[in-house]
Amino acid sequence: RVRHFAPDSHDAYSLNNGSVYAIAEDGHHRMVIATFGGGLNIAEPRPDGTLKFIHPGNLLTTYPRAGMKSRCLLLLSDGTALLGTNDGLYSFSLNGPYEKMRFHVNKRRPDSPTTLNSNFVMEILKTKGHKIFIATAAGGTEMIEPGPLLCDTIRFRHFSESKGISSDMN
């Protein structure tokens, strides 16, 4: 069965933006959604079988307002989520209450060679070998170095034109 979800100004728990860029299912069978204009949405079933969408306009009160333009996401089996935005890479845990979610923001810092080369995160990929790659606009491709993901200091290894890839425009 196909169902259409759209923003509804009369329902605070409707999808908050119609520009859906990515959808993934978490370990609790919720749809986690990246929207380009509404940021993160998490759809969970109501007792009557309909869905309610949790987003920055209702229960995600700690979501950074700068990250409303999100394009991609990656959900890990431990409940950690990575969200690619125009404001950098956000990491957070899906395991706690929505009102207390902590969003870690990893952004380009010109003074640090291990931060993102660009805040415009276009895609996230996890390989079979459990390496995570980030494609950025005009910053090349990044690989997340081993270490904690739920922090504002994720370390990245850069692959760019200067390192031999064909283009920094991913």
Side-chain angles (χ1 to χ4, degrees):
R1 188 173 120 186
V2 177
R3 292 171 40 187
H4 180 250
F5 299 98
D8 178 351
S9 61
H10 301 292
D11 180 2
Y13 290 91
S14 68
L15 184 68
N16 75 342
N17 187 279
S19 296
V20 174
Y21 273 51
I23 303 172
E25 183 180 5
D26 75 357
H28 302 285
H29 305 291
R30 298 175 294 192
M31 285 190 297
V32 181
I33 304 161
T35 68
F36 196 78
L40 178 67
N41 280 248
I42 303 169
E44 61 178 40
R46 291 177 169 145
D48 66 0
T50 62
L51 292 177
K52 71 176 178 180
F53 293 84
I54 311 302
H55 52 71
N58 52 48
L59 299 179
L60 291 183
T61 57
T62 60
Y63 186 82
R65 297 291 178 205
M68 293 302 190
K69 293 182 178 178
S70 60
R71 287 190 178 84
C72 54
L73 57 97
L74 174 69
L75 306 182
L76 302 175
S77 60
D78 68 354
T80 299
L82 300 176
L83 181 70
T85 76
N86 277 9
D87 186 47
L89 180 71
Y90 292 6
S91 62
F92 54 97
S93 174
L94 289 162
N95 294 328
Y98 296 122
E99 299 88 345
K100 294 184 180 181
M101 275 188 170
R102 178 149 184 233
F103 293 89
H104 304 275
V105 181
N106 285 271
K107 299 173 93 164
R108 180 178 186 274
R109 290 192 318 269
D111 60 326
S112 177
T114 61
T115 63
L116 285 170
N117 269 348
S118 168
N119 289 335
F120 290 87
V121 177
M122 307 301 284
E123 190 58 76
I124 306 168
L125 169 76
K126 182 179 174 190
T127 68
K128 287 181 182 179
H130 304 287
K131 292 183 181 186
I132 299 173
F133 288 87
I134 310 296
T136 66
T141 301
E142 319 275 353
M143 183 181 76
I144 293 178
E145 295 284 4
L149 294 176
L150 296 176
C151 66
D152 298 322
T153 56
I154 294 174
R155 296 174 56 85
F156 298 89
R157 181 174 166 202
H158 308 295
F159 300 92
S160 61
E161 282 183 297
S162 65
K163 301 279 185 181
I165 69 168
S166 60
S167 172
D168 287 344
M169 298 301 294
N170 293 327

